[in-house]
Every structure is written in structure tokens, then in C-alpha cells.
Amino acid sequence: MIEEIQILNNKSAAQKPRAVEISETTNGFNVYIETYGCQMNVNDSEIVAGILAQSGFGITDKIDNSNVILLNTCSVRDNAEAKIFKRLEQLRFYRKQNSKLLVGILGCMAERLRGKLVGHQDLVSIVVGPDEYRKVPEMIEQSMNGEVGIAVKLSRVETYDDIIPLRTQGISAWLSIIRGCDKFCTYCVVPYTRGRERSKPFPVVIKELIDLYELGYKEVTLLGQNVNSYIDMENKVDFAKLLVECAKAVPSMRIRYTTSHPYDMTDELIEAMASHHNICNYIHLPVQSGSDRILQMMNRHYTVEHYLDRMRKIKELIPNCSLSTDIITGFPTETEDDHKATMDLMAEVRYDGAYMFNYSPRSKTKAYMMEDDVTPDVKGRRLTEIIEQQNKISRELNEAEHGLIHEVLIEGTSKKNKNEWQGRTDTNKVVIFDNYEQNYKIGQTITCKITRSTSGTLFGDVV
Ligand code: 5AD
Ligand code: SF4
């Protein structure tokens, strides 16, 4: 049965496990970090790599060269955790080759499962939650002496604002500006694994941004579980103001942000996007369901009417803004009518893309107390219906792009065909174009006329 799918042409690097950038060892440890889950985790791995590199640890992107393997994990759905348990089984192979190999679990699963992970597969000796990454170097050293280490305290203040992340070289950087979540949606484990909301001070965000510009990055994505509830009380800066200040500080850089909550999608924020050319015209605004009854049970703090009003405002002020969302099917008590309301909402908004998931009960959450009463068959069928409808809409919206001209930031060669280039529009759509013989450079912006498309990709010619 399908359990989740994304129909998007912005499949992020976070979808596949990924290693971070390389750094030489001075203390004999070579650490390989594999990242699962959301973009916050991708940036957290860069933070861990930064902390380790500062203490003399080597960071390698080749698992065979490593003597420490860290998995940065996700707990949001059961299948995310199942993937890690499978991976641990595979890692036994590396342990057989090197009995001194250390394996650690970082991130949300570490926070959620804690001691239960220690010794798993006779393998895991380090367990570190999202707010304790400063301890990773000493824990690796202690674990070398046979000790087992767990650090899973959540913090109300930790933002790692003095740590320089060891970023994967490229043109696009992640910058986390707020950690944790205070929304407590009833299905979601994040408030328990990542703790309370806390924002990075405004001057620190601007400094990091300017540093990224000076390092040659062309695009930055401001990150947070609820990025638009950012608030720096001391400097009186909310998210709309922060976005404007970021856009002004680096006018030639593209600024993106994710993920926002409909409750905090203010007029000021939409106006800020509309009035600054370098704030990208793309919004990921998870709706989760199109039924008011389910939204209330989910504790989402908005109604369908409020959500649609936000969409109208966005379309009014930013007519070419592309939109994506998250949907959960089969939340407890979801009826055919609730499901139809979700289908109707998606048909009304006409998202460019969507991440769609079957509901997965998570212990500790409020919904966990409710009976998971939508059968797997019904969940699967509803998910398929949503996916098919979204596929059709994505295809139609991409077809409507034929003949249009976009500025495309070149990201590299196409993954499918090394003789083609791949870039991204301001609206976050992937564009493939050939002209390989031209000596384009990664990070260069070119103008492309869209000639054809699929539901997930645009194809164009340079003009
Ligand atoms: N089951 C299914 N999907 C979930 N999400 C969060 N928690 C769950 C869960 N228990 C989805 C939401 C959220 C996205 C990151 O993951 O759609 O927006
Ligand atoms: Fe989870 Fe809701 Fe917070 Fe998003 S807003 S991280 S879905 S609790």
C-alpha cells in the first residue's frame, strides 16, 4: 500500500539520505553523517558537522572511510522510523568489517525513543536529541572507551547561534531561524521531539545571511518548523519584518522560507513577499485537511474559510505565486464527506504540488488516544484519489507554463542526463534545458522559455 507521496518538482535533497561536506581529521575520528527527514534535519546535520569539525573531527562523505556513523533521524511517521531500523541492520555489515566502528542516532528518533535505542542491534552507543548537539564530540570520545551516551534534554534557549554550520558546498544554503513548535497539532510528535519555540536573534540571522552572500551562495532558505511564528521580542522583529530586512540586506540573493503555518500567514507577510523581487514567489502552506471538523480535531487553529481567505490574498497580491501543501488522509473519524471536502479544497486552490501522507499514530500525541479507525484500505484508496487529482492539477498548471519565460538559477547537470542542465525558477519549479555545449556555470541565472513539461518538471530553451 502507498503510505505517502510527494507530487512536487522541488524534491528537496532531504528526501534522500545525504552526507555533509568534507573536513580533514586531526584527532583520528572520521565521521559520516546520514540525514533523513525534513530540511531542519539537513541544516542540523550541518550544525553537528560544524561542531565536530571545530573539535578536530574529520567529516567524510564516504561511509567506507568512516569510523563513526551518525544517523540524523525523523519520527514524524512510523515509516520514517522503520527506515532507520532497516538502515541499522545494514550497518551491521560495516561493524563486521570494523569492530571499533561507532554508531550514533541523532534527531527526533533519539529524542523519542531514548534509551530504547541504546545497544540496538548491538550497535548504537550514542543517542543525542536535537538540543544537545554540542555534546556530540565528547560523547564520541567517551563511547570510544566503551561508554554508552544518551543526551536528550530539550532546551528553551538553544538556537546554535554561535555555531558555523559545515554546509554542503553549492549555491543554496539552509538557515534555521526558529527551532521547536508550540502549535501542538494533535497528530504531531514534533513538539515532543523538538521542544518549545525559540527564535534566533535578528542581528545573528542578518549576519549569517551576509556571511552566506560573501561566501558566494545565491539562494538562502529560512527554516523553521513554523517559520512564520518567528519573533525577536528584544528587537521587535516578526517574520514579515525579518523577511523584508533579509531581502534588503542581500538584494541579489534569492530568499525562500519553509514551513509556514496558515494561522501566522499575515497580510504583512504576503505584502512583504509582493513588494520585494528577491523574495521568491513560492509558498508551502500545509492545510492538512479540507474539513473544519477534522481541522478542529487536529487543533490546527484555523478554518477552511480562513485558509481560503489567505489563498485569495496571496493570489491577489502575488498572482504568479506557486503553492504547495501537506495533506493527511485517514485522520481518526475521517468520513467520506471529510475526504471529499479535502478533494474539493485541493481542486479549488489548485496547488502546484503537494506532500500527501496517510495518518500515522504517534505515541505521546493527543490523537494517539483516539481510535485509528480509518482502515488501511480506506486510507490507501483516499490517498490514491488525492494523488491522482493532484497529479492532474500539477500537469495542467505546468502545461499552462508553456511559452512563458522564467529566470532560472542553474543548480547543476540534470540527474537523468549529464548533457542537460538543471535549474530552478523563482517559483521553485525545476527546469531542464540542454545547450550543454554552452559553458554555463552553476550559480548563474539564465532566461528560459518553457517548451514542454510533465507533472513534476518543466523543460525549456535558453533565450
Ligand atoms: N501522520 C501523518 N502525517 C503526519 N505529519 C505530521 N505528523 C503526521 C502523522 N502523525 C505530516 C503533516 C506535516 C508534515 C511535515 O508531516 O502533514 O505537515
Ligand atoms: Fe507538527 Fe503542527 Fe508543529 Fe507542524 S505546526 S511541527 S504539524 S505540531
Side-chain angles (χ1 to χ4, degrees), residues 174-194:
W174 309 109
L175 201 175
S176 60
I177 61 163
I178 173 168
R179 297 180 72 86
C181 178
D182 286 352
K183 291 282 194 288
F184 286 92
C185 300
T186 55
Y187 51 81
C188 186
V189 76
V190 165
Y192 307 94
T193 58
R194 287 187 164 270

Side-chain angles (χ1 to χ4, degrees), residues 221-235:
T221 305
L222 306 177
L223 284 182
Q225 233 74 41
N226 259 311
V227 77
N228 55 341
S229 41
Y230 176 91
I231 184 84
D232 176 339
M233 301 279 199
E234 209 178 310
N235 293 292

Side-chain angles (χ1 to χ4, degrees), residues 70-128:
L70 301 176
L71 306 183
N72 191 2
T73 60
C74 170
S75 277
V76 88
R77 281 169 295 278
D78 186 58
N79 55 6
E81 292 192 349
K83 211 187 271 177
I84 298 297
F85 285 122
K86 250 198 214 129
R87 184 65 178 139
L88 285 174
E89 265 170 48
Q90 292 167 355
L91 292 187
R92 279 163 60 192
F93 163 81
Y94 293 94
R95 169 61 69 74
K96 271 191 200 133
Q97 292 183 328
N98 172 8
S99 62
K100 291 217 168 80
L101 175 76
L102 295 178
V103 176
I105 304 278
L106 313 179
C108 288
M109 243 174 114
E111 194 61 49
R112 203 178 85 78
L113 298 175
R114 303 177 167 207
K116 286 184 201 139
L117 289 169
V118 171
H120 186 84
Q121 300 276 349
D122 217 8
L123 202 64
V124 177
S125 56
I126 305 163
V127 177
V128 190

Side-chain angles (χ1 to χ4, degrees), residues 17-20 22 30-36 59-71 87-88 90-95 97-98 101-103 123:
R18 191 178 97 156
V20 292
I22 306 162
N30 263 312
V31 185
Y32 176 82
I33 309 179
E34 209 166 74
T35 309
Y36 295 79
I59 305 292
T60 172
D61 61 353
K62 296 196 179 49
I63 196 166
D64 292 311
N65 292 350
S66 68
N67 47 17
V68 182
I69 299 175
L70 301 176
L71 306 183
R87 184 65 178 139
L88 285 174
Q90 292 167 355
L91 292 187
R92 279 163 60 192
F93 163 81
Y94 293 94
R95 169 61 69 74
Q97 292 183 328
N98 172 8
L101 175 76
L102 295 178
V103 176
L123 202 64

